[in-house]
Amino acid sequence: EALKMIDGHLKEALDGEERGEGTLEENLVPFDDDTEGEKTFRSMMYHLLTGPCQKLAASRVTAVREGRGLGVYFESLADGSEDKESVKAKIDAEFKSALDAGLNFNVLCNIWLYDVGISQIELLKPTYHGRKKKERKSSLGVPKFLNRLLGMNMKRQSLVFDYFMKTLDDAIQTAKTNGKYDVGIKSLKGQSIEFLKRPQSFCFRGLNGPNESVELYSVQLDAGLSPEAIMEMYNNLVGGEGTVDTDGSVDLTNDSPGQGWHGTNRTRSGGRRRNEIVTGFYVDNRDFYQVTEKVFFIHNPGPDSDKCLVVRPNTGKKVESKTSLTNKFHKHRFGTGNAISVQRAMEIWR
């Protein structure tokens, strides 16, 4: 089926070339008046035949030009000009030639996945930001991939899923060998951690663990930081003037406004833009935070790191890239006008 589809697609492009409607490659590219479905199919075939399957495409172009395309053989069988045995022998020969030229399981997977709505083109194409090529993050995750497999017939499902599992096993073994395998254990940290109810137990009766069980706990975690904790962190990181008294209260003597982002770079219009992140307290002044201001503590560890520490009263600590924070600054979520004094930050933090 796949070889017949490839031959038919190439014959259509070759017929257009013979009519003087462009080169072979130009006739493989989607046309402006194609429907969305036709454009998706033609794009898939174009990137397949001009990319990883160039050798196969060249072999099949020769076969189609010489009258050895599979469509010709099926037509001769339908009109009775050749018998079944003769046609089968010729198709087997063409199939063997295609295998030698690169028709393999990966090619079949591209076509099968297209049939269930997964386009490999979007996974392979890079994106561009200015003149620099950037990696594309695909929306195709494992759940969606496995869900789409259900649209295949049982034989294809089995073949593709087995290949997926073997690839996954190889990736896990490679990660273990390189010391990069994440076993999925995460430490929960916060001001308080409380078990809400008795655990649920799930038992399994598989061949490899007939008596194994998994217990599921519901946990309530308070990951926030108290004013005292954030002031201690602030003092350790920047040597601020706010201190914690022996009785646990916060003594705030620094009521000067924060400095916010500073430093500049040239913009396209010739002006300059402030863009460096200064360690300190900030508020998000967007309209929907007017009732309760959203306060942050942001620590920039310096030029050797591309990340900053971001702390919130209720959600605690997290690490965020400087690029992400700078983007928020340019969208007026942070910046010089959003920097606040330690005293004001503690008033909100409480």
Side-chain angles (χ1 to χ4, degrees), residues 30-44 114 119 121-122:
F31 299 118
D32 292 337
D33 58 351
D34 283 344
T35 64
E36 287 302 315
E38 289 170 338
K39 287 181 180 179
T40 302
F41 173 73
R42 293 178 68 87
S43 294
M44 183 272 293
Y114 166 79
S119 174
I121 306 152
E122 293 303 315

Side-chain angles (χ1 to χ4, degrees), residues 6 36 57 68 122 126 132 139 144 192 196 273 282 292 299 311:
I6 291 172
E36 287 302 315
R68 295 185 286 110
E122 293 303 315
K132 295 183 179 180
S139 61
K144 181 178 178 180
S192 66
L196 298 180
R273 180 171 59 195
Y282 297 83
T292 302
H299 172 59
V311 187

Side-chain angles (χ1 to χ4, degrees), residues 79-292:
D79 62 23
S81 59
E82 291 191 66
D83 58 30
K84 185 176 181 179
E85 289 73 17
S86 173
V87 170
K88 183 179 183 304
K90 292 180 179 180
I91 290 177
D92 288 345
E94 293 303 322
F95 187 68
K96 183 179 183 306
S97 174
L99 290 175
D100 295 337
L103 180 63
N104 54 34
F105 185 72
N106 288 333
V107 178
L108 297 178
C109 275
N110 273 271
I111 297 173
W112 293 347
L113 290 172
Y114 166 79
D115 286 342
V116 293
I118 297 177
S119 174
Q120 296 296 313
I121 306 152
E122 293 303 315
L123 302 179
L124 298 175
K125 280 197 313 183
T127 54
Y128 291 86
H129 181 69
R131 296 183 179 179
K132 295 183 179 180
K133 187 183 293 186
K134 295 182 70 177
E135 183 178 351
R136 176 183 291 274
K137 291 185 178 180
S138 170
S139 61
L140 177 65
V142 173
K144 181 178 178 180
F145 168 76
L146 296 177
N147 181 269
R148 293 299 176 88
L149 289 191
L150 298 176
M152 298 182 182
N153 62 47
M154 293 302 295
K155 184 175 181 180
R156 291 182 182 180
Q157 278 187 42
S158 178
L159 290 171
V160 177
F161 183 73
D162 287 347
Y163 183 76
F164 167 75
M165 291 304 300
K166 289 177 181 178
T167 304
L168 179 61
D169 289 341
D170 288 343
I172 291 173
Q173 290 303 321
T174 300
K176 288 182 176 179
T177 301
N178 296 334
K180 297 181 178 180
Y181 182 67
D182 185 354
V183 296
I185 298 176
K186 180 179 180 180
S187 298
L188 299 179
K189 298 179 180 179
Q191 294 192 81
S192 66
I193 301 175
E194 180 182 355
F195 293 102
L196 298 180
K197 57 184 179 181
R198 295 179 59 185
Q200 294 177 280
S201 183
F202 297 89
C203 299
F204 298 90
R205 295 292 183 264
L207 296 177
N208 296 327
N211 299 312
E212 298 295 331
S213 64
V214 173
E215 292 187 340
L216 177 64
Y217 291 84
S218 296
V219 178
Q220 180 173 299
L221 171 65
D222 181 1
L225 266 72
S226 65
E228 293 77 21
I230 189 61
M231 280 307 306
E232 183 177 357
M233 179 186 298
Y234 176 83
N235 290 330
N236 290 336
L237 292 174
V238 298
E241 298 178 12
T243 58
V244 180
D245 291 342
T246 54
D247 62 358
S249 62
V250 181
D251 175 27
L252 298 171
T253 58
N254 183 356
D255 59 357
S256 62
Q259 295 182 2
W261 266 245
H262 70 74
T264 62
N265 70 328
R266 189 172 297 280
T267 64
R268 291 184 179 181
S269 61
R272 302 195 68 84
R273 180 171 59 195
R274 301 165 70 87
N275 66 346
E276 293 182 10
I277 304 170
V278 176
T279 294
F281 292 95
Y282 297 83
V283 290
D284 189 332
N285 287 331
R286 287 176 294 173
D287 293 340
F288 47 85
Y289 289 123
Q290 287 181 352
V291 176
T292 302

Side-chain angles (χ1 to χ4, degrees), residues 6-20 22-28 56-73 94:
I6 291 172
D7 283 0
H9 195 67
L10 289 173
K11 186 178 188 310
E12 179 184 337
L14 288 170
D15 289 344
E17 184 181 45
E18 290 180 3
R19 293 192 299 267
T23 64
L24 171 63
E25 184 171 347
E26 289 172 345
N27 284 308
L28 290 174
L56 173 62
S59 173
R60 297 318 301 166
V61 165
T62 301
V64 171
R65 281 177 171 161
E66 294 177 354
R68 295 185 286 110
L70 262 59
V72 174
Y73 296 141
E94 293 303 322

Side-chain angles (χ1 to χ4, degrees), residues 285-340:
N285 287 331
R286 287 176 294 173
D287 293 340
F288 47 85
Y289 289 123
Q290 287 181 352
V291 176
T292 302
E293 291 181 287
K294 188 176 182 181
V295 62
F296 297 80
F297 172 67
I298 301 177
H299 172 59
N300 183 355
D304 294 333
S305 174
D306 62 350
K307 293 179 171 48
C308 288
L309 174 67
V310 180
V311 187
R312 290 272 290 116
N314 297 328
T315 57
K317 296 180 287 186
K318 72 172 184 177
V319 175
E320 189 167 351
S321 71
K322 291 180 179 178
T323 301
S324 172
L325 287 171
T326 303
N327 287 339
K328 292 176 181 178
F329 160 58
H330 292 318
K331 294 177 182 178
H332 308 293
R333 289 184 59 177
F334 302 117
T336 303
N338 301 64
I340 59 174

